[in-house]
Amino acid sequence: MYFIRDSICINAKIIILREIVKAVKTCSPPTVTLSRKCAENLRERSNILSCQTKVVASFRIQYVLVGAVMQGFRVIRRWQCDAVDYTHSPKSKGVLGQICQKLAEEIIMASVTFEHVTKKYAGDVTAVKDLNISIADREFLVFVGPSGCGKTTSLRMLAGLEEISEGKIYIGDRVVNDVAPKDRDIAMVFQSYALYPHMSVYDNMAFGLKLRKVPKDEIDKRVKEAAGRLGIQHLLDRKPKQLSGGQRQRVAVGRAIVRNPAVFLMDEPLSNLDAKLRVQARAEISKLHQQLGTTFIYVTHDQVEAMTMGTRIAVMKDGLLMQIDTPQHLYDRPDNVFVAGFIGSPSMNFFDATLTGDGNDVYVDTGAFRVKIPENRAAPYRSLRGKQVIFGLRPENIHDASYTPPGIHSQEIEAQVEVTELMGNEVIVYLNVKGKSILARVDPRTQAKVGNTVRVALNMDVFHIFDKQTEKAVR
């Protein structure tokens, strides 16, 4: 007998049924158990339903395929998605193996798509405007931006906690605009953790499963597995008031894990932790993503969290998506001034400047200093000579001239030291060049002292030029 879970996408259901029928066409027809709702949905999309299927009023089964071991094939429910893993011996053949292999090849997992999504509030306030993002299965996407940029609103619309004004949100191939939050196969970790103070850690983690009438032995198994994964087995009998901030954060994550959702949503879960715990928790969440192999969507205002955790980062400002890309690409090739300034710590230095020069030479003239663009990067800017631009250079690309790295195209300028911050592995130096402030991260061997005049080298291999009017990158 085969059971098909309600929450998986319609295409997956069709594939499962088709492959079951095909695989056993020479044998006696299998029994496929569906809920009535699932069967009605399939009838609209497929002509597969026939004598091979048996419709029941309702059932509570957590497996896509139940049938555990058959002739060398082991079917394992993958909690993080709506497919199955399988192992098999080269000599073994069987119905389940053929089905599993087909599922592994064809079923699309827990992808998420925002299609022209807009959120408006009363008073003509637009929190999110025309958001278009495709998030792949098993991806770790981070929404990042300042307060009020729309990142949390986007997450809440996906969770079903905010209505969508315009557009569509898909989980897999299913539009979920009108789907209740409990039916979206998602789990959310809130900034405040939202633990029930009168319940033990065990009961907090098990509460959602009890509401879904999951059998007690299954609840116990999932809670203890999640607790072991997070290292909180010894805390299961405690109440939230007896836990530290980091322990409460793990309990909130554990409560999400036991749901075995298709998508994890996290809304600034580390903001209440101190600096040391945040570093530790970042690593734990990244490991958790690797272990579970499911889709994570994470919201933060901290670009360090975004850079260290995300496979891709979506940078937002005033409800608009400014850029979405991998962390390294955002750092190396920001599309505009906002992204360039937001990604990287300390923030990029910006100077109003004019492009000048003659012949093949191009210079950046800020009024306080004038530096030459290397020949290998000058071509895009020769036609822009005389144009006002914004010149950007990151603090880590400004060096004490005595310790300039070899092999770079550097231009030296003189600056006065205003403040120094010794960090151990580096010194952050606040400089002044004819009234213009510059921030530099230099070698810890520097002799720069407050009040001194020093020579610093600008690495002109990695500068950035932005249009003065549009603030978009010029490359």
Side-chain angles (χ1 to χ4, degrees):
M1 179 180 291
Y2 302 97
F3 294 86
I4 298 183
R5 184 181 170 201
D6 255 359
S7 63
I8 64 175
C9 67
I10 186 69
N11 284 350
K13 293 170 183 172
I14 292 172
I15 292 172
I16 292 170
L17 281 173
R18 183 182 295 125
E19 294 311 312
I20 289 173
V21 173
K22 184 191 301 182
V24 295
K25 60 185 178 182
T26 58
C27 310
S28 59
T31 298
V32 180
T33 304
L34 313 133
S35 71
R36 191 172 300 280
K37 177 181 176 182
C38 174
E40 290 171 355
N41 201 357
L42 280 166
R43 280 198 182 95
E44 297 174 1
R45 297 282 301 274
S46 170
N47 59 3
I48 296 175
L49 287 185
S50 62
C51 61
Q52 283 101 349
T53 62
K54 172 187 176 184
V55 179
V56 296
S58 64
F59 68 97
R60 294 187 177 94
I61 191 74
Q62 298 300 313
Y63 297 89
V64 176
L65 293 175
V66 177
V69 182
M70 280 186 65
Q71 191 67 30
F73 288 92
R74 185 160 57 94
V75 180
I76 308 168
R77 173 70 171 92
R78 272 176 48 182
W79 296 112
Q80 68 269 27
C81 63
D82 293 316
V84 289
D85 282 330
Y86 69 96
T87 57
H88 86 319
S89 161
K91 296 181 180 180
S92 61
K93 295 181 179 180
V95 173
L96 281 179
Q98 296 175 49
I99 297 167
C100 292
Q101 185 162 0
K102 192 69 176 180
L103 289 174
E105 292 171 355
E106 294 193 27
I107 292 182
I108 297 175
M109 313 302 180
S111 59
V112 174
T113 304
F114 289 82
E115 186 178 279
H116 300 291
V117 173
T118 296
K119 175 62 180 177
K120 295 180 180 179
Y121 292 102
D124 199 29
V125 176
T126 302
V128 177
K129 185 176 181 180
D130 196 29
L131 180 63
N132 290 279
I133 296 179
S134 293
I135 304 165
D137 175 54
R138 307 185 191 184
E139 185 172 2
F140 195 131
L141 181 86
V142 180
F143 281 103
V144 69
S147 297
C149 70
K151 56 188 185 295
T152 295
T153 302
S154 301
L155 196 75
R156 289 175 63 84
M157 286 191 289
L158 174 58
L161 304 179
E162 294 277 0
E163 290 187 1
I164 301 168
S165 302
E166 298 173 18
K168 296 178 181 179
I169 294 179
Y170 294 82
I171 297 178
D173 65 348
R174 180 174 64 152
V175 178
V176 296
N177 291 35
D178 299 319
V179 177
K182 66 183 179 64
D183 298 325
R184 296 192 181 197
D185 202 13
I186 54 104
M188 189 163 181
V189 179
F190 296 91
Q191 180 177 352
S192 62
Y193 309 145
L195 302 178
Y196 297 106
H198 64 289
M199 292 184 182
S200 67
V201 168
Y202 183 99
D203 289 334
N204 265 283
M205 293 175 66
F207 185 70
L209 300 180
K210 290 177 181 177
L211 290 180
R212 288 167 176 78
K213 309 297 184 184
V214 176
K216 288 185 178 180
D217 56 345
E218 181 66 20
I219 293 175
D220 188 66
K221 177 185 175 183
R222 292 200 212 174
V223 169
K224 288 180 179 178
E225 282 182 357
R229 192 187 297 273
L230 296 168
I232 55 174
Q233 316 93 301
H234 60 294
L235 304 176
L236 290 177
D237 295 327
R238 295 191 190 180
K239 298 288 178 62
K241 66 181 180 181
Q242 298 172 300
L243 306 177
S244 67
Q247 290 169 338
R248 291 179 189 179
Q249 185 262 342
R250 289 189 186 94
V251 174
V253 172
R255 183 174 57 187
I257 291 174
V258 298
R259 290 276 313 281
N260 303 316
V263 183
F264 279 93
L265 309 181
M266 297 190 174
D267 184 14
E268 303 199 40
L270 310 185
S271 61
N272 295 332
L273 304 182
D274 61 44
K276 184 176 180 180
L277 271 178
R278 273 203 302 273
V279 173
Q280 181 181 346
R282 283 204 312 260
E284 289 175 353
I285 291 175
S286 295
K287 289 178 184 176
L288 190 64
H289 174 250
Q290 295 168 12
Q291 292 168 1
L292 297 178
T294 192
T295 307
F296 275 52
I297 302 177
Y298 188 101
V299 164
T300 182
H301 64 275
D302 185 345
Q303 58 90 21
V304 175
E305 285 182 22
M307 292 289 288
T308 55
M309 298 170 70
T311 52
R312 281 195 305 164
I313 301 172
V315 185
M316 297 188 70
K317 177 189 177 186
D318 299 332
L320 295 171
L321 178 64
M322 305 301 289
Q323 187 175 353
I324 180 169
D325 215 320
T326 61
Q328 192 62 50
H329 204 271
L330 283 178
Y331 178 88
D332 291 337
R333 294 177 65 83
D335 283 348
N336 51 62
V337 169
F338 177 79
V339 174
F342 198 86
I343 299 297
S345 181
S347 180
M348 183 182 290
N349 296 289
F350 295 107
F351 310 92
D352 289 335
T354 303
L355 296 180
T356 64
D358 51 35
N360 289 328
D361 295 335
V362 183
Y363 292 86
V364 177
D365 189 347
T366 68
F369 59 87
R370 183 171 180 260
V371 289
K372 182 180 178 181
I373 294 178
E375 180 68 24
N376 64 330
R377 292 203 58 190
Y381 308 109
R382 291 192 179 108
S383 62
L384 301 178
R385 282 179 288 207
K387 185 178 178 65
Q388 290 188 333
V389 296
I390 298 172
F391 173 65
L393 195 64
R394 297 194 182 277
E396 49 269 38
N397 296 317
I398 302 175
H399 309 277
D400 185 318
S402 301
Y403 301 101
T404 303
I408 67 171
H409 294 93
S410 64
Q411 295 279 294
E412 293 187 9
I413 62 172
E414 284 192 346
Q416 186 172 10
V417 180
E418 293 185 328
V419 177
T420 61
E421 295 177 347
L422 178 61
M423 306 299 289
N425 64 320
E426 64 184 5
V427 178
I428 297 177
V429 184
Y430 294 77
L431 305 166
N432 188 291
V433 181
K434 297 180 181 179
K436 292 188 180 291
S437 297
I438 303 179
L439 189 62
R441 295 171 63 179
V442 302
D443 192 286
R445 296 170 293 177
T446 183
Q447 299 301 308
K449 304 295 182 184
V450 175
N452 289 355
T453 298
V454 297
R455 291 191 67 79
V456 292
L458 312 186
N459 183 355
M460 294 299 292
D461 289 325
V462 286
F463 69 88
H464 301 268
I465 297 289
F466 304 92
D467 185 273
K468 183 72 175 292
Q469 278 70 44
T470 64
E471 295 192 348
K472 292 184 178 180
V474 179
R475 300 187 178 104

mmCIF file of all heavy atoms in Angstrom, residues 7-15 41 45 82 106-113 168-176:
data_model
loop_
_atom_site.group_PDB
_atom_site.id
_atom_site.type_symbol
_atom_site.label_atom_id
_atom_site.label_comp_id
_atom_site.label_asym_id
_atom_site.label_seq_id
_atom_site.Cartn_x
_atom_site.Cartn_y
_atom_site.Cartn_z
ATOM 1 N N SER A 7 0.447 17.538 1.613
ATOM 2 C CA SER A 7 1.126 18.831 1.470
ATOM 3 C C SER A 7 2.083 18.910 0.286
ATOM 4 O O SER A 7 2.550 19.987 -0.053
ATOM 5 C CB SER A 7 1.897 19.149 2.755
ATOM 6 O OG SER A 7 2.902 18.189 2.955
ATOM 7 N N ILE A 8 2.394 17.783 -0.349
ATOM 8 C CA ILE A 8 3.344 17.877 -1.454
ATOM 9 C C ILE A 8 2.668 18.487 -2.668
ATOM 10 O O ILE A 8 1.452 18.463 -2.816
ATOM 11 C CB ILE A 8 3.971 16.505 -1.802
ATOM 12 C CG1 ILE A 8 2.918 15.526 -2.317
ATOM 13 C CG2 ILE A 8 4.692 15.941 -0.617
ATOM 14 C CD1 ILE A 8 3.499 14.212 -2.789
ATOM 15 N N CYS A 9 3.467 19.028 -3.568
ATOM 16 C CA CYS A 9 2.913 19.746 -4.704
ATOM 17 C C CYS A 9 2.194 18.788 -5.660
ATOM 18 O O CYS A 9 2.457 17.588 -5.696
ATOM 19 C CB CYS A 9 4.014 20.504 -5.444
ATOM 20 S SG CYS A 9 5.214 19.451 -6.265
ATOM 21 N N ILE A 10 1.280 19.322 -6.437
ATOM 22 C CA ILE A 10 0.430 18.518 -7.313
ATOM 23 C C ILE A 10 1.240 17.735 -8.336
ATOM 24 O O ILE A 10 0.952 16.571 -8.621
ATOM 25 C CB ILE A 10 -0.618 19.416 -8.023
ATOM 26 C CG1 ILE A 10 -1.603 18.573 -8.831
ATOM 27 C CG2 ILE A 10 0.049 20.455 -8.887
ATOM 28 C CD1 ILE A 10 -2.528 17.744 -7.983
ATOM 29 N N ASN A 11 2.306 18.352 -8.867
ATOM 30 C CA ASN A 11 3.128 17.642 -9.856
ATOM 31 C C ASN A 11 3.803 16.428 -9.243
ATOM 32 O O ASN A 11 3.961 15.384 -9.889
ATOM 33 C CB ASN A 11 4.173 18.583 -10.453
ATOM 34 C CG ASN A 11 3.572 19.534 -11.455
ATOM 35 O OD1 ASN A 11 2.425 19.378 -11.844
ATOM 36 N ND2 ASN A 11 4.333 20.535 -11.870
ATOM 37 N N ALA A 12 4.225 16.571 -7.983
ATOM 38 C CA ALA A 12 4.857 15.438 -7.303
ATOM 39 C C ALA A 12 3.862 14.302 -7.129
ATOM 40 O O ALA A 12 4.185 13.125 -7.322
ATOM 41 C CB ALA A 12 5.397 15.882 -5.955
ATOM 42 N N LYS A 13 2.609 14.642 -6.779
ATOM 43 C CA LYS A 13 1.582 13.612 -6.618
ATOM 44 C C LYS A 13 1.348 12.867 -7.941
ATOM 45 O O LYS A 13 1.216 11.637 -7.975
ATOM 46 C CB LYS A 13 0.282 14.252 -6.134
ATOM 47 C CG LYS A 13 0.362 14.815 -4.734
ATOM 48 C CD LYS A 13 -0.872 15.646 -4.419
ATOM 49 C CE LYS A 13 -0.757 16.283 -3.043
ATOM 50 N NZ LYS A 13 -1.850 17.241 -2.774
ATOM 51 N N ILE A 14 1.273 13.633 -9.011
ATOM 52 C CA ILE A 14 1.048 13.024 -10.323
ATOM 53 C C ILE A 14 2.196 12.098 -10.688
ATOM 54 O O ILE A 14 1.994 10.983 -11.168
ATOM 55 C CB ILE A 14 0.861 14.119 -11.397
ATOM 56 C CG1 ILE A 14 -0.469 14.859 -11.153
ATOM 57 C CG2 ILE A 14 0.878 13.527 -12.793
ATOM 58 C CD1 ILE A 14 -0.656 16.078 -12.042
ATOM 59 N N ILE A 15 3.431 12.555 -10.450
ATOM 60 C CA ILE A 15 4.601 11.722 -10.762
ATOM 61 C C ILE A 15 4.563 10.431 -9.953
ATOM 62 O O ILE A 15 4.811 9.335 -10.470
ATOM 63 C CB ILE A 15 5.907 12.496 -10.475
ATOM 64 C CG1 ILE A 15 6.061 13.652 -11.474
ATOM 65 C CG2 ILE A 15 7.107 11.572 -10.557
ATOM 66 C CD1 ILE A 15 7.206 14.576 -11.148
ATOM 67 N N ASN A 41 -8.261 17.119 -6.035
ATOM 68 C CA ASN A 41 -7.261 17.986 -6.653
ATOM 69 C C ASN A 41 -6.604 17.295 -7.841
ATOM 70 O O ASN A 41 -6.392 17.876 -8.906
ATOM 71 C CB ASN A 41 -6.210 18.359 -5.600
ATOM 72 C CG ASN A 41 -5.455 19.608 -5.971
ATOM 73 O OD1 ASN A 41 -5.661 20.175 -7.037
ATOM 74 N ND2 ASN A 41 -4.566 20.036 -5.109
ATOM 75 N N ARG A 45 -6.357 17.693 -12.441
ATOM 76 C CA ARG A 45 -5.088 17.877 -13.137
ATOM 77 C C ARG A 45 -4.601 16.627 -13.866
ATOM 78 O O ARG A 45 -3.624 16.693 -14.590
ATOM 79 C CB ARG A 45 -4.005 18.293 -12.132
ATOM 80 C CG ARG A 45 -4.248 19.615 -11.450
ATOM 81 C CD ARG A 45 -3.909 20.765 -12.365
ATOM 82 N NE ARG A 45 -2.517 20.710 -12.785
ATOM 83 C CZ ARG A 45 -1.516 21.240 -12.080
ATOM 84 N NH1 ARG A 45 -1.772 21.873 -10.957
ATOM 85 N NH2 ARG A 45 -0.284 21.172 -12.508
ATOM 86 N N ASP A 82 9.871 16.886 -0.215
ATOM 87 C CA ASP A 82 8.792 15.969 -0.533
ATOM 88 C C ASP A 82 9.232 14.882 -1.491
ATOM 89 O O ASP A 82 8.532 14.509 -2.419
ATOM 90 C CB ASP A 82 7.622 16.744 -1.133
ATOM 91 C CG ASP A 82 6.992 17.650 -0.113
ATOM 92 O OD1 ASP A 82 6.806 17.188 1.020
ATOM 93 O OD2 ASP A 82 6.712 18.799 -0.443
ATOM 94 N N GLU A 106 13.003 13.725 -10.812
ATOM 95 C CA GLU A 106 12.022 14.632 -11.381
ATOM 96 C C GLU A 106 11.340 15.582 -10.403
ATOM 97 O O GLU A 106 10.871 16.639 -10.805
ATOM 98 C CB GLU A 106 10.930 13.828 -12.113
ATOM 99 C CG GLU A 106 11.464 13.102 -13.318
ATOM 100 C CD GLU A 106 10.329 12.591 -14.186
ATOM 101 O OE1 GLU A 106 9.253 13.170 -14.168
ATOM 102 O OE2 GLU A 106 10.551 11.587 -14.877
ATOM 103 N N ILE A 107 11.207 15.201 -9.139
ATOM 104 C CA ILE A 107 10.406 16.038 -8.250
ATOM 105 C C ILE A 107 11.168 17.295 -7.853
ATOM 106 O O ILE A 107 12.300 17.236 -7.415
ATOM 107 C CB ILE A 107 9.998 15.261 -6.991
ATOM 108 C CG1 ILE A 107 9.011 14.172 -7.374
ATOM 109 C CG2 ILE A 107 9.359 16.193 -5.961
ATOM 110 C CD1 ILE A 107 8.510 13.367 -6.212
ATOM 111 N N ILE A 108 10.539 18.435 -8.050
ATOM 112 C CA ILE A 108 11.120 19.702 -7.636
ATOM 113 C C ILE A 108 10.831 19.894 -6.156
ATOM 114 O O ILE A 108 9.708 19.720 -5.711
ATOM 115 C CB ILE A 108 10.522 20.866 -8.443
ATOM 116 C CG1 ILE A 108 10.873 20.682 -9.920
ATOM 117 C CG2 ILE A 108 11.022 22.201 -7.934
ATOM 118 C CD1 ILE A 108 10.230 21.697 -10.822
ATOM 119 N N MET A 109 11.839 20.286 -5.398
ATOM 120 C CA MET A 109 11.685 20.351 -3.951
ATOM 121 C C MET A 109 11.084 21.693 -3.530
ATOM 122 O O MET A 109 10.317 22.294 -4.246
ATOM 123 C CB MET A 109 13.049 20.114 -3.286
ATOM 124 C CG MET A 109 13.796 18.935 -3.833
ATOM 125 S SD MET A 109 12.898 17.379 -3.709
ATOM 126 C CE MET A 109 14.095 16.273 -4.435
ATOM 127 N N ALA A 110 11.481 22.149 -2.351
ATOM 128 C CA ALA A 110 10.841 23.313 -1.726
ATOM 129 C C ALA A 110 11.427 24.624 -2.227
ATOM 130 O O ALA A 110 12.085 25.354 -1.496
ATOM 131 C CB ALA A 110 10.968 23.207 -0.219
ATOM 132 N N SER A 111 11.189 24.930 -3.487
ATOM 133 C CA SER A 111 11.579 26.236 -4.006
ATOM 134 C C SER A 111 10.531 27.261 -3.594
ATOM 135 O O SER A 111 9.392 26.921 -3.294
ATOM 136 C CB SER A 111 11.696 26.193 -5.529
ATOM 137 O OG SER A 111 10.456 25.805 -6.102
ATOM 138 N N VAL A 112 10.934 28.524 -3.556
ATOM 139 C CA VAL A 112 10.033 29.625 -3.194
ATOM 140 C C VAL A 112 10.183 30.717 -4.234
ATOM 141 O O VAL A 112 11.306 31.047 -4.645
ATOM 142 C CB VAL A 112 10.360 30.183 -1.788
ATOM 143 C CG1 VAL A 112 9.526 31.418 -1.486
ATOM 144 C CG2 VAL A 112 10.129 29.115 -0.725
ATOM 145 N N THR A 113 9.063 31.277 -4.683
ATOM 146 C CA THR A 113 9.103 32.329 -5.697
ATOM 147 C C THR A 113 8.206 33.491 -5.282
ATOM 148 O O THR A 113 7.038 33.286 -4.937
ATOM 149 C CB THR A 113 8.637 31.797 -7.068
ATOM 150 O OG1 THR A 113 9.441 30.682 -7.440
ATOM 151 C CG2 THR A 113 8.762 32.882 -8.134
ATOM 152 N N LYS A 168 2.019 37.209 -6.596
ATOM 153 C CA LYS A 168 1.836 35.826 -6.162
ATOM 154 C C LYS A 168 3.094 35.325 -5.455
ATOM 155 O O LYS A 168 4.209 35.712 -5.795
ATOM 156 C CB LYS A 168 1.553 34.918 -7.364
ATOM 157 C CG LYS A 168 0.255 35.220 -8.098
ATOM 158 C CD LYS A 168 0.090 34.296 -9.301
ATOM 159 C CE LYS A 168 -1.194 34.611 -10.062
ATOM 160 N NZ LYS A 168 -1.352 33.741 -11.254
ATOM 161 N N ILE A 169 2.864 34.451 -4.479
ATOM 162 C CA ILE A 169 3.967 33.740 -3.829
ATOM 163 C C ILE A 169 3.750 32.252 -4.055
ATOM 164 O O ILE A 169 2.655 31.732 -3.828
ATOM 165 C CB ILE A 169 4.043 34.052 -2.327
ATOM 166 C CG1 ILE A 169 4.406 35.517 -2.104
ATOM 167 C CG2 ILE A 169 5.071 33.153 -1.640
ATOM 168 C CD1 ILE A 169 4.492 35.923 -0.641
ATOM 169 N N TYR A 170 4.799 31.578 -4.517
ATOM 170 C CA TYR A 170 4.745 30.138 -4.762
ATOM 171 C C TYR A 170 5.649 29.415 -3.767
ATOM 172 O O TYR A 170 6.755 29.876 -3.467
ATOM 173 C CB TYR A 170 5.256 29.804 -6.169
ATOM 174 C CG TYR A 170 4.428 30.321 -7.315
ATOM 175 C CD1 TYR A 170 4.557 31.637 -7.754
ATOM 176 C CD2 TYR A 170 3.536 29.491 -7.980
ATOM 177 C CE1 TYR A 170 3.812 32.117 -8.818
ATOM 178 C CE2 TYR A 170 2.783 29.955 -9.058
ATOM 179 C CZ TYR A 170 2.927 31.270 -9.473
ATOM 180 O OH TYR A 170 2.197 31.743 -10.529
ATOM 181 N N ILE A 171 5.185 28.283 -3.275
ATOM 182 C CA ILE A 171 6.049 27.317 -2.594
ATOM 183 C C ILE A 171 5.986 26.056 -3.449
ATOM 184 O O ILE A 171 4.926 25.446 -3.581
ATOM 185 C CB ILE A 171 5.589 27.034 -1.153
ATOM 186 C CG1 ILE A 171 5.676 28.313 -0.305
ATOM 187 C CG2 ILE A 171 6.458 25.937 -0.530
ATOM 188 C CD1 ILE A 171 5.207 28.140 1.121
ATOM 189 N N GLY A 172 7.102 25.697 -4.055
ATOM 190 C CA GLY A 172 7.062 24.688 -5.110
ATOM 191 C C GLY A 172 6.327 25.287 -6.296
ATOM 192 O O GLY A 172 6.606 26.405 -6.718
ATOM 193 N N ASP A 173 5.347 24.576 -6.812
ATOM 194 C CA ASP A 173 4.571 25.099 -7.931
ATOM 195 C C ASP A 173 3.174 25.532 -7.482
ATOM 196 O O ASP A 173 2.287 25.749 -8.299
ATOM 197 C CB ASP A 173 4.468 24.058 -9.052
ATOM 198 C CG ASP A 173 3.683 22.819 -8.635
ATOM 199 O OD1 ASP A 173 3.415 22.671 -7.420
ATOM 200 O OD2 ASP A 173 3.337 22.003 -9.507
ATOM 201 N N ARG A 174 2.969 25.648 -6.180
ATOM 202 C CA ARG A 174 1.662 25.980 -5.630
ATOM 203 C C ARG A 174 1.602 27.442 -5.203
ATOM 204 O O ARG A 174 2.444 27.907 -4.444
ATOM 205 C CB ARG A 174 1.353 25.080 -4.437
ATOM 206 C CG ARG A 174 -0.013 25.351 -3.797
ATOM 207 C CD ARG A 174 -0.332 24.333 -2.716
ATOM 208 N NE ARG A 174 0.576 24.400 -1.592
ATOM 209 C CZ ARG A 174 0.248 24.050 -0.344
ATOM 210 N NH1 ARG A 174 -0.959 23.591 -0.084
ATOM 211 N NH2 ARG A 174 1.128 24.124 0.626
ATOM 212 N N VAL A 175 0.611 28.170 -5.700
ATOM 213 C CA VAL A 175 0.382 29.541 -5.248
ATOM 214 C C VAL A 175 -0.212 29.474 -3.843
ATOM 215 O O VAL A 175 -1.233 28.808 -3.624
ATOM 216 C CB VAL A 175 -0.579 30.287 -6.195
ATOM 217 C CG1 VAL A 175 -0.840 31.696 -5.671
ATOM 218 C CG2 VAL A 175 0.005 30.350 -7.598
ATOM 219 N N VAL A 176 0.405 30.176 -2.892
ATOM 220 C CA VAL A 176 -0.026 30.069 -1.494
ATOM 221 C C VAL A 176 -0.667 31.352 -0.969
ATOM 222 O O VAL A 176 -0.851 31.497 0.230
ATOM 223 C CB VAL A 176 1.161 29.661 -0.592
ATOM 224 C CG1 VAL A 176 1.681 28.284 -0.954
ATOM 225 C CG2 VAL A 176 2.284 30.701 -0.665
#
